[in-house]
């Protein structure tokens, strides 16, 4: 399994949908960023604002990140 070192901060966890089909989002706000090792296989999407990763039981996490979009793109397309 390959990993990528990322500097991640605040994030949103998508827990699924309620009975009215509205997405259930839990917002986690942290001060600053911290380094984490993320399995590349868990990364589903990268935007200029968030990295979307999967999580257990069908949950998704939208992470704020400190690196540049270009740096992450260059690492992932190798």
């Amino acid at each position: 399994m390959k990993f990528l070192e990322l500097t991640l901060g605040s994030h949103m966890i998508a827990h699924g949908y309620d009975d009215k089909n509205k997405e259930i989002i839990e917002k986690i706000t942290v001060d600053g960023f911290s380094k984490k090792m993320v399995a590349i296989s868990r990364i589903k999407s990268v935007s200029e604002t968030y990295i979307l990763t999967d999580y257990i039981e069908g949950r998704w996490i939208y992470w704020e990140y400190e690196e540049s979009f270009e740096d992450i793109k260059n690492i992932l397309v190798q």
Side-chain angles (χ1 to χ4, degrees):
M1 185 177 299
K2 294 183 179 182
F3 288 85
L4 179 60
E5 181 181 293
L6 295 169
T7 311
L8 304 175
S10 296
H11 52 285
M12 297 180 290
I13 303 170
H15 292 280
Y17 297 87
D18 65 13
D19 57 352
K20 295 181 182 176
N21 208 30
K22 183 178 178 192
E23 195 169 26
I24 302 166
I25 299 286
E26 176 185 2
K27 294 182 181 182
I28 310 295
T29 303
V30 297
D31 292 329
F33 291 84
S34 61
K35 291 196 179 285
K36 298 188 186 310
M37 297 294 293
V38 177
I40 291 176
S41 62
R42 290 185 51 206
I43 298 173
K44 303 306 174 195
S45 176
V46 180
S47 71
E48 291 183 357
T49 308
Y50 297 105
I51 293 177
L52 174 62
T53 62
D54 62 5
Y55 193 57
I56 58 171
E57 301 176 20
R59 293 184 177 128
W60 303 91
I61 304 178
Y62 297 87
W63 293 94
E64 292 179 356
Y65 62 96
E66 193 171 57
E67 291 78 11
S68 76
F69 175 82
E70 290 299 318
D71 286 344
I72 292 174
K73 180 179 86 170
N74 290 334
I75 292 168
L76 292 175
V77 297
Q78 292 181 12

PDB file of all heavy atoms in Angstrom, residues 19-53:
ATOM      1  N   ASP A  19     -33.668  10.693   6.465  1.00  0.00           N
ATOM      2  CA  ASP A  19     -34.869  10.155   5.829  1.00  0.00           C
ATOM      3  C   ASP A  19     -35.458  11.087   4.770  1.00  0.00           C
ATOM      4  O   ASP A  19     -36.323  10.689   3.998  1.00  0.00           O
ATOM      5  CB  ASP A  19     -35.923   9.797   6.881  1.00  0.00           C
ATOM      6  CG  ASP A  19     -36.320  10.972   7.761  1.00  0.00           C
ATOM      7  OD1 ASP A  19     -35.681  12.045   7.684  1.00  0.00           O
ATOM      8  OD2 ASP A  19     -37.279  10.807   8.539  1.00  0.00           O
ATOM      9  N   LYS A  20     -34.988  12.338   4.710  1.00  0.00           N
ATOM     10  CA  LYS A  20     -35.429  13.278   3.672  1.00  0.00           C
ATOM     11  C   LYS A  20     -34.356  13.443   2.586  1.00  0.00           C
ATOM     12  O   LYS A  20     -34.386  14.394   1.815  1.00  0.00           O
ATOM     13  CB  LYS A  20     -35.763  14.626   4.293  1.00  0.00           C
ATOM     14  CG  LYS A  20     -36.946  14.545   5.229  1.00  0.00           C
ATOM     15  CD  LYS A  20     -37.288  15.885   5.813  1.00  0.00           C
ATOM     16  CE  LYS A  20     -38.467  15.686   6.769  1.00  0.00           C
ATOM     17  NZ  LYS A  20     -38.803  16.905   7.460  1.00  0.00           N
ATOM     18  N   ASN A  21     -33.394  12.515   2.562  1.00  0.00           N
ATOM     19  CA  ASN A  21     -32.308  12.481   1.592  1.00  0.00           C
ATOM     20  C   ASN A  21     -31.385  13.699   1.667  1.00  0.00           C
ATOM     21  O   ASN A  21     -30.753  14.077   0.699  1.00  0.00           O
ATOM     22  CB  ASN A  21     -32.847  12.309   0.163  1.00  0.00           C
ATOM     23  CG  ASN A  21     -31.841  11.616  -0.734  1.00  0.00           C
ATOM     24  OD1 ASN A  21     -31.052  10.811  -0.278  1.00  0.00           O
ATOM     25  ND2 ASN A  21     -31.869  11.944  -2.006  1.00  0.00           N
ATOM     26  N   LYS A  22     -31.289  14.298   2.860  1.00  0.00           N
ATOM     27  CA  LYS A  22     -30.368  15.401   3.088  1.00  0.00           C
ATOM     28  C   LYS A  22     -29.082  14.829   3.672  1.00  0.00           C
ATOM     29  O   LYS A  22     -29.113  14.021   4.600  1.00  0.00           O
ATOM     30  CB  LYS A  22     -30.969  16.426   4.045  1.00  0.00           C
ATOM     31  CG  LYS A  22     -30.072  17.619   4.258  1.00  0.00           C
ATOM     32  CD  LYS A  22     -30.684  18.653   5.163  1.00  0.00           C
ATOM     33  CE  LYS A  22     -29.677  19.770   5.348  1.00  0.00           C
ATOM     34  NZ  LYS A  22     -30.015  20.680   6.383  1.00  0.00           N
ATOM     35  N   GLU A  23     -27.945  15.259   3.124  1.00  0.00           N
ATOM     36  CA  GLU A  23     -26.665  14.739   3.579  1.00  0.00           C
ATOM     37  C   GLU A  23     -26.411  15.135   5.036  1.00  0.00           C
ATOM     38  O   GLU A  23     -26.652  16.273   5.428  1.00  0.00           O
ATOM     39  CB  GLU A  23     -25.533  15.273   2.689  1.00  0.00           C
ATOM     40  CG  GLU A  23     -24.248  14.532   2.839  1.00  0.00           C
ATOM     41  CD  GLU A  23     -23.225  14.886   1.779  1.00  0.00           C
ATOM     42  OE1 GLU A  23     -23.277  16.003   1.233  1.00  0.00           O
ATOM     43  OE2 GLU A  23     -22.376  14.037   1.507  1.00  0.00           O
ATOM     44  N   ILE A  24     -25.929  14.187   5.827  1.00  0.00           N
ATOM     45  CA  ILE A  24     -25.598  14.421   7.234  1.00  0.00           C
ATOM     46  C   ILE A  24     -24.108  14.733   7.310  1.00  0.00           C
ATOM     47  O   ILE A  24     -23.272  13.864   7.052  1.00  0.00           O
ATOM     48  CB  ILE A  24     -25.939  13.201   8.103  1.00  0.00           C
ATOM     49  CG1 ILE A  24     -27.424  12.863   7.986  1.00  0.00           C
ATOM     50  CG2 ILE A  24     -25.525  13.434   9.546  1.00  0.00           C
ATOM     51  CD1 ILE A  24     -27.781  11.497   8.541  1.00  0.00           C
ATOM     52  N   ILE A  25     -23.774  15.989   7.638  1.00  0.00           N
ATOM     53  CA  ILE A  25     -22.386  16.455   7.670  1.00  0.00           C
ATOM     54  C   ILE A  25     -22.007  16.864   9.088  1.00  0.00           C
ATOM     55  O   ILE A  25     -22.728  17.610   9.739  1.00  0.00           O
ATOM     56  CB  ILE A  25     -22.185  17.675   6.738  1.00  0.00           C
ATOM     57  CG1 ILE A  25     -22.512  17.320   5.294  1.00  0.00           C
ATOM     58  CG2 ILE A  25     -20.787  18.249   6.865  1.00  0.00           C
ATOM     59  CD1 ILE A  25     -21.483  16.464   4.620  1.00  0.00           C
ATOM     60  N   GLU A  26     -20.863  16.362   9.555  1.00  0.00           N
ATOM     61  CA  GLU A  26     -20.291  16.755  10.843  1.00  0.00           C
ATOM     62  C   GLU A  26     -19.050  17.587  10.552  1.00  0.00           C
ATOM     63  O   GLU A  26     -18.124  17.123   9.884  1.00  0.00           O
ATOM     64  CB  GLU A  26     -19.904  15.503  11.632  1.00  0.00           C
ATOM     65  CG  GLU A  26     -19.213  15.775  12.934  1.00  0.00           C
ATOM     66  CD  GLU A  26     -18.756  14.497  13.618  1.00  0.00           C
ATOM     67  OE1 GLU A  26     -18.944  13.387  13.073  1.00  0.00           O
ATOM     68  OE2 GLU A  26     -18.178  14.617  14.714  1.00  0.00           O
ATOM     69  N   LYS A  27     -19.049  18.847  11.001  1.00  0.00           N
ATOM     70  CA  LYS A  27     -17.917  19.734  10.752  1.00  0.00           C
ATOM     71  C   LYS A  27     -16.970  19.717  11.947  1.00  0.00           C
ATOM     72  O   LYS A  27     -17.388  19.907  13.079  1.00  0.00           O
ATOM     73  CB  LYS A  27     -18.400  21.159  10.485  1.00  0.00           C
ATOM     74  CG  LYS A  27     -19.196  21.261   9.204  1.00  0.00           C
ATOM     75  CD  LYS A  27     -19.640  22.681   8.926  1.00  0.00           C
ATOM     76  CE  LYS A  27     -20.445  22.702   7.643  1.00  0.00           C
ATOM     77  NZ  LYS A  27     -20.877  24.049   7.282  1.00  0.00           N
ATOM     78  N   ILE A  28     -15.694  19.480  11.675  1.00  0.00           N
ATOM     79  CA  ILE A  28     -14.655  19.443  12.701  1.00  0.00           C
ATOM     80  C   ILE A  28     -13.688  20.588  12.404  1.00  0.00           C
ATOM     81  O   ILE A  28     -13.037  20.595  11.355  1.00  0.00           O
ATOM     82  CB  ILE A  28     -13.876  18.111  12.693  1.00  0.00           C
ATOM     83  CG1 ILE A  28     -14.802  16.913  12.691  1.00  0.00           C
ATOM     84  CG2 ILE A  28     -12.855  18.087  13.815  1.00  0.00           C
ATOM     85  CD1 ILE A  28     -15.639  16.748  13.932  1.00  0.00           C
ATOM     86  N   THR A  29     -13.610  21.550  13.315  1.00  0.00           N
ATOM     87  CA  THR A  29     -12.714  22.688  13.144  1.00  0.00           C
ATOM     88  C   THR A  29     -11.544  22.541  14.102  1.00  0.00           C
ATOM     89  O   THR A  29     -11.740  22.324  15.295  1.00  0.00           O
ATOM     90  CB  THR A  29     -13.463  24.012  13.426  1.00  0.00           C
ATOM     91  OG1 THR A  29     -14.598  24.085  12.550  1.00  0.00           O
ATOM     92  CG2 THR A  29     -12.567  25.205  13.184  1.00  0.00           C
ATOM     93  N   VAL A  30     -10.329  22.648  13.561  1.00  0.00           N
ATOM     94  CA  VAL A  30      -9.123  22.544  14.375  1.00  0.00           C
ATOM     95  C   VAL A  30      -8.269  23.781  14.146  1.00  0.00           C
ATOM     96  O   VAL A  30      -8.392  24.452  13.129  1.00  0.00           O
ATOM     97  CB  VAL A  30      -8.318  21.267  14.046  1.00  0.00           C
ATOM     98  CG1 VAL A  30      -9.120  20.025  14.359  1.00  0.00           C
ATOM     99  CG2 VAL A  30      -7.857  21.247  12.609  1.00  0.00           C
ATOM    100  N   ASP A  31      -7.426  24.077  15.112  1.00  0.00           N
ATOM    101  CA  ASP A  31      -6.483  25.175  14.971  1.00  0.00           C
ATOM    102  C   ASP A  31      -5.244  24.656  14.262  1.00  0.00           C
ATOM    103  O   ASP A  31      -4.566  23.759  14.765  1.00  0.00           O
ATOM    104  CB  ASP A  31      -6.088  25.743  16.337  1.00  0.00           C
ATOM    105  CG  ASP A  31      -7.250  26.439  17.025  1.00  0.00           C
ATOM    106  OD1 ASP A  31      -8.107  26.989  16.326  1.00  0.00           O
ATOM    107  OD2 ASP A  31      -7.296  26.399  18.273  1.00  0.00           O
ATOM    108  N   GLY A  32      -4.964  25.178  13.096  1.00  0.00           N
ATOM    109  CA  GLY A  32      -3.756  24.795  12.389  1.00  0.00           C
ATOM    110  C   GLY A  32      -3.886  23.494  11.636  1.00  0.00           C
ATOM    111  O   GLY A  32      -4.983  22.959  11.434  1.00  0.00           O
ATOM    112  N   PHE A  33      -2.750  23.001  11.212  1.00  0.00           N
ATOM    113  CA  PHE A  33      -2.665  21.795  10.404  1.00  0.00           C
ATOM    114  C   PHE A  33      -1.703  20.816  11.067  1.00  0.00           C
ATOM    115  O   PHE A  33      -0.837  21.222  11.832  1.00  0.00           O
ATOM    116  CB  PHE A  33      -2.140  22.131   8.999  1.00  0.00           C
ATOM    117  CG  PHE A  33      -3.109  22.929   8.175  1.00  0.00           C
ATOM    118  CD1 PHE A  33      -3.177  24.306   8.304  1.00  0.00           C
ATOM    119  CD2 PHE A  33      -3.944  22.305   7.271  1.00  0.00           C
ATOM    120  CE1 PHE A  33      -4.065  25.050   7.545  1.00  0.00           C
ATOM    121  CE2 PHE A  33      -4.836  23.033   6.504  1.00  0.00           C
ATOM    122  CZ  PHE A  33      -4.896  24.410   6.643  1.00  0.00           C
ATOM    123  N   SER A  34      -1.843  19.527  10.748  1.00  0.00           N
ATOM    124  CA  SER A  34      -0.899  18.534  11.236  1.00  0.00           C
ATOM    125  C   SER A  34      -0.625  17.531  10.118  1.00  0.00           C
ATOM    126  O   SER A  34      -1.470  17.304   9.248  1.00  0.00           O
ATOM    127  CB  SER A  34      -1.425  17.824  12.484  1.00  0.00           C
ATOM    128  OG  SER A  34      -2.625  17.149  12.204  1.00  0.00           O
ATOM    129  N   LYS A  35       0.554  16.946  10.165  1.00  0.00           N
ATOM    130  CA  LYS A  35       0.955  15.983   9.137  1.00  0.00           C
ATOM    131  C   LYS A  35       0.291  14.635   9.401  1.00  0.00           C
ATOM    132  O   LYS A  35       0.210  14.180  10.536  1.00  0.00           O
ATOM    133  CB  LYS A  35       2.470  15.833   9.114  1.00  0.00           C
ATOM    134  CG  LYS A  35       3.172  17.082   8.616  1.00  0.00           C
ATOM    135  CD  LYS A  35       4.598  16.777   8.252  1.00  0.00           C
ATOM    136  CE  LYS A  35       5.283  18.026   7.738  1.00  0.00           C
ATOM    137  NZ  LYS A  35       4.885  18.375   6.400  1.00  0.00           N
ATOM    138  N   LYS A  36      -0.179  14.018   8.315  1.00  0.00           N
ATOM    139  CA  LYS A  36      -0.796  12.699   8.395  1.00  0.00           C
ATOM    140  C   LYS A  36      -0.335  11.895   7.183  1.00  0.00           C
ATOM    141  O   LYS A  36      -0.092  12.441   6.116  1.00  0.00           O
ATOM    142  CB  LYS A  36      -2.316  12.801   8.374  1.00  0.00           C
ATOM    143  CG  LYS A  36      -2.886  13.568   9.557  1.00  0.00           C
ATOM    144  CD  LYS A  36      -4.392  13.466   9.573  1.00  0.00           C
ATOM    145  CE  LYS A  36      -5.039  14.313  10.642  1.00  0.00           C
ATOM    146  NZ  LYS A  36      -4.541  14.194  11.957  1.00  0.00           N
ATOM    147  N   MET A  37      -0.244  10.599   7.368  1.00  0.00           N
ATOM    148  CA  MET A  37       0.029   9.689   6.267  1.00  0.00           C
ATOM    149  C   MET A  37      -1.325   9.138   5.810  1.00  0.00           C
ATOM    150  O   MET A  37      -2.071   8.575   6.606  1.00  0.00           O
ATOM    151  CB  MET A  37       0.938   8.555   6.714  1.00  0.00           C
ATOM    152  CG  MET A  37       2.315   9.012   7.163  1.00  0.00           C
ATOM    153  SD  MET A  37       3.294   9.711   5.832  1.00  0.00           S
ATOM    154  CE  MET A  37       3.563   8.273   4.814  1.00  0.00           C
ATOM    155  N   VAL A  38      -1.629   9.325   4.523  1.00  0.00           N
ATOM    156  CA  VAL A  38      -2.909   8.889   3.970  1.00  0.00           C
ATOM    157  C   VAL A  38      -2.634   7.874   2.873  1.00  0.00           C
ATOM    158  O   VAL A  38      -1.808   8.114   1.986  1.00  0.00           O
ATOM    159  CB  VAL A  38      -3.692  10.094   3.386  1.00  0.00           C
ATOM    160  CG1 VAL A  38      -4.990   9.640   2.739  1.00  0.00           C
ATOM    161  CG2 VAL A  38      -3.970  11.125   4.462  1.00  0.00           C
ATOM    162  N   ALA A  39      -3.316   6.744   2.932  1.00  0.00           N
ATOM    163  CA  ALA A  39      -3.184   5.744   1.876  1.00  0.00           C
ATOM    164  C   ALA A  39      -3.710   6.340   0.576  1.00  0.00           C
ATOM    165  O   ALA A  39      -4.824   6.878   0.537  1.00  0.00           O
ATOM    166  CB  ALA A  39      -3.961   4.485   2.235  1.00  0.00           C
ATOM    167  N   ILE A  40      -2.913   6.275  -0.469  1.00  0.00           N
ATOM    168  CA  ILE A  40      -3.319   6.844  -1.754  1.00  0.00           C
ATOM    169  C   ILE A  40      -4.619   6.209  -2.234  1.00  0.00           C
ATOM    170  O   ILE A  40      -5.451   6.877  -2.840  1.00  0.00           O
ATOM    171  CB  ILE A  40      -2.186   6.709  -2.781  1.00  0.00           C
ATOM    172  CG1 ILE A  40      -1.033   7.642  -2.381  1.00  0.00           C
ATOM    173  CG2 ILE A  40      -2.656   7.009  -4.190  1.00  0.00           C
ATOM    174  CD1 ILE A  40       0.198   7.546  -3.245  1.00  0.00           C
ATOM    175  N   SER A  41      -4.835   4.947  -1.936  1.00  0.00           N
ATOM    176  CA  SER A  41      -6.062   4.261  -2.360  1.00  0.00           C
ATOM    177  C   SER A  41      -7.313   4.859  -1.723  1.00  0.00           C
ATOM    178  O   SER A  41      -8.421   4.667  -2.238  1.00  0.00           O
ATOM    179  CB  SER A  41      -5.978   2.772  -2.036  1.00  0.00           C
ATOM    180  OG  SER A  41      -5.861   2.577  -0.635  1.00  0.00           O
ATOM    181  N   ARG A  42      -7.171   5.591  -0.607  1.00  0.00           N
ATOM    182  CA  ARG A  42      -8.322   6.217   0.053  1.00  0.00           C
ATOM    183  C   ARG A  42      -8.687   7.563  -0.564  1.00  0.00           C
ATOM    184  O   ARG A  42      -9.769   8.079  -0.323  1.00  0.00           O
ATOM    185  CB  ARG A  42      -8.037   6.414   1.544  1.00  0.00           C
ATOM    186  CG  ARG A  42      -7.998   5.105   2.317  1.00  0.00           C
ATOM    187  CD  ARG A  42      -7.841   5.323   3.799  1.00  0.00           C
ATOM    188  NE  ARG A  42      -8.821   6.273   4.302  1.00  0.00           N
ATOM    189  CZ  ARG A  42      -8.647   7.026   5.380  1.00  0.00           C
ATOM    190  NH1 ARG A  42      -7.535   6.961   6.062  1.00  0.00           N
ATOM    191  NH2 ARG A  42      -9.583   7.859   5.782  1.00  0.00           N
ATOM    192  N   ILE A  43      -7.789   8.162  -1.348  1.00  0.00           N
ATOM    193  CA  ILE A  43      -8.055   9.469  -1.943  1.00  0.00           C
ATOM    194  C   ILE A  43      -8.973   9.285  -3.142  1.00  0.00           C
ATOM    195  O   ILE A  43      -8.661   8.554  -4.079  1.00  0.00           O
ATOM    196  CB  ILE A  43      -6.743  10.172  -2.363  1.00  0.00           C
ATOM    197  CG1 ILE A  43      -5.874  10.421  -1.134  1.00  0.00           C
ATOM    198  CG2 ILE A  43      -7.050  11.478  -3.098  1.00  0.00           C
ATOM    199  CD1 ILE A  43      -4.486  10.947  -1.444  1.00  0.00           C
ATOM    200  N   LYS A  44     -10.122   9.946  -3.103  1.00  0.00           N
ATOM    201  CA  LYS A  44     -11.118   9.815  -4.162  1.00  0.00           C
ATOM    202  C   LYS A  44     -11.167  11.023  -5.078  1.00  0.00           C
ATOM    203  O   LYS A  44     -11.547  10.917  -6.236  1.00  0.00           O
ATOM    204  CB  LYS A  44     -12.513   9.581  -3.554  1.00  0.00           C
ATOM    205  CG  LYS A  44     -12.585   8.374  -2.648  1.00  0.00           C
ATOM    206  CD  LYS A  44     -12.096   7.137  -3.369  1.00  0.00           C
ATOM    207  CE  LYS A  44     -12.019   5.940  -2.449  1.00  0.00           C
ATOM    208  NZ  LYS A  44     -11.242   4.853  -3.004  1.00  0.00           N
ATOM    209  N   SER A  45     -10.790  12.200  -4.545  1.00  0.00           N
ATOM    210  CA  SER A  45     -10.871  13.420  -5.333  1.00  0.00           C
ATOM    211  C   SER A  45     -10.020  14.493  -4.669  1.00  0.00           C
ATOM    212  O   SER A  45      -9.848  14.490  -3.452  1.00  0.00           O
ATOM    213  CB  SER A  45     -12.337  13.884  -5.403  1.00  0.00           C
ATOM    214  OG  SER A  45     -12.435  15.106  -6.080  1.00  0.00           O
ATOM    215  N   VAL A  46      -9.488  15.416  -5.499  1.00  0.00           N
ATOM    216  CA  VAL A  46      -8.731  16.551  -4.986  1.00  0.00           C
ATOM    217  C   VAL A  46      -9.229  17.802  -5.697  1.00  0.00           C
ATOM    218  O   VAL A  46      -9.304  17.836  -6.929  1.00  0.00           O
ATOM    219  CB  VAL A  46      -7.214  16.387  -5.240  1.00  0.00           C
ATOM    220  CG1 VAL A  46      -6.450  17.593  -4.701  1.00  0.00           C
ATOM    221  CG2 VAL A  46      -6.686  15.106  -4.620  1.00  0.00           C
ATOM    222  N   SER A  47      -9.607  18.810  -4.916  1.00  0.00           N
ATOM    223  CA  SER A  47      -9.969  20.112  -5.476  1.00  0.00           C
ATOM    224  C   SER A  47      -8.989  21.132  -4.914  1.00  0.00           C
ATOM    225  O   SER A  47      -8.108  20.789  -4.125  1.00  0.00           O
ATOM    226  CB  SER A  47     -11.404  20.491  -5.097  1.00  0.00           C
ATOM    227  OG  SER A  47     -11.487  20.812  -3.718  1.00  0.00           O
ATOM    228  N   GLU A  48      -9.136  22.378  -5.280  1.00  0.00           N
ATOM    229  CA  GLU A  48      -8.249  23.409  -4.747  1.00  0.00           C
ATOM    230  C   GLU A  48      -8.487  23.658  -3.264  1.00  0.00           C
ATOM    231  O   GLU A  48      -7.659  24.268  -2.601  1.00  0.00           O
ATOM    232  CB  GLU A  48      -8.408  24.695  -5.538  1.00  0.00           C
ATOM    233  CG  GLU A  48      -7.862  24.571  -6.950  1.00  0.00           C
ATOM    234  CD  GLU A  48      -7.955  25.864  -7.735  1.00  0.00           C
ATOM    235  OE1 GLU A  48      -8.495  26.855  -7.217  1.00  0.00           O
ATOM    236  OE2 GLU A  48      -7.470  25.875  -8.876  1.00  0.00           O
ATOM    237  N   THR A  49      -9.607  23.177  -2.736  1.00  0.00           N
ATOM    238  CA  THR A  49      -9.958  23.404  -1.336  1.00  0.00           C
ATOM    239  C   THR A  49      -9.877  22.147  -0.487  1.00  0.00           C
ATOM    240  O   THR A  49      -9.435  22.203   0.652  1.00  0.00           O
ATOM    241  CB  THR A  49     -11.390  23.974  -1.236  1.00  0.00           C
ATOM    242  OG1 THR A  49     -11.496  25.105  -2.086  1.00  0.00           O
ATOM    243  CG2 THR A  49     -11.723  24.389   0.181  1.00  0.00           C
ATOM    244  N   TYR A  50     -10.326  21.015  -1.025  1.00  0.00           N
ATOM    245  CA  TYR A  50     -10.453  19.797  -0.232  1.00  0.00           C
ATOM    246  C   TYR A  50      -9.833  18.581  -0.906  1.00  0.00           C
ATOM    247  O   TYR A  50      -9.790  18.491  -2.130  1.00  0.00           O
ATOM    248  CB  TYR A  50     -11.929  19.452   0.021  1.00  0.00           C
ATOM    249  CG  TYR A  50     -12.675  20.471   0.817  1.00  0.00           C
ATOM    250  CD1 TYR A  50     -13.583  21.327   0.213  1.00  0.00           C
ATOM    251  CD2 TYR A  50     -12.477  20.579   2.193  1.00  0.00           C
ATOM    252  CE1 TYR A  50     -14.273  22.271   0.952  1.00  0.00           C
ATOM    253  CE2 TYR A  50     -13.165  21.516   2.936  1.00  0.00           C
ATOM    254  CZ  TYR A  50     -14.065  22.365   2.307  1.00  0.00           C
ATOM    255  OH  TYR A  50     -14.739  23.289   3.046  1.00  0.00           O
ATOM    256  N   ILE A  51      -9.422  17.634  -0.058  1.00  0.00           N
ATOM    257  CA  ILE A  51      -9.100  16.285  -0.494  1.00  0.00           C
ATOM    258  C   ILE A  51     -10.199  15.394   0.070  1.00  0.00           C
ATOM    259  O   ILE A  51     -10.460  15.407   1.279  1.00  0.00           O
ATOM    260  CB  ILE A  51      -7.726  15.827   0.036  1.00  0.00           C
ATOM    261  CG1 ILE A  51      -6.631  16.644  -0.615  1.00  0.00           C
ATOM    262  CG2 ILE A  51      -7.525  14.337  -0.209  1.00  0.00           C
ATOM    263  CD1 ILE A  51      -5.248  16.320  -0.119  1.00  0.00           C
ATOM    264  N   LEU A  52     -10.860  14.658  -0.805  1.00  0.00           N
ATOM    265  CA  LEU A  52     -11.923  13.757  -0.385  1.00  0.00           C
ATOM    266  C   LEU A  52     -11.343  12.357  -0.216  1.00  0.00           C
ATOM    267  O   LEU A  52     -10.713  11.820  -1.131  1.00  0.00           O
ATOM    268  CB  LEU A  52     -13.037  13.729  -1.430  1.00  0.00           C
ATOM    269  CG  LEU A  52     -14.167  12.723  -1.207  1.00  0.00           C
ATOM    270  CD1 LEU A  52     -14.910  13.005   0.092  1.00  0.00           C
ATOM    271  CD2 LEU A  52     -15.108  12.710  -2.391  1.00  0.00           C
ATOM    272  N   THR A  53     -11.532  11.788   0.980  1.00  0.00           N
ATOM    273  CA  THR A  53     -11.081  10.428   1.253  1.00  0.00           C
ATOM    274  C   THR A  53     -12.257   9.592   1.729  1.00  0.00           C
ATOM    275  O   THR A  53     -13.219  10.116   2.293  1.00  0.00           O
ATOM    276  CB  THR A  53      -9.978  10.385   2.343  1.00  0.00           C
ATOM    277  OG1 THR A  53     -10.496  10.889   3.572  1.00  0.00           O
ATOM    278  CG2 THR A  53      -8.761  11.200   1.924  1.00  0.00           C
TER     279      THR A  53
END
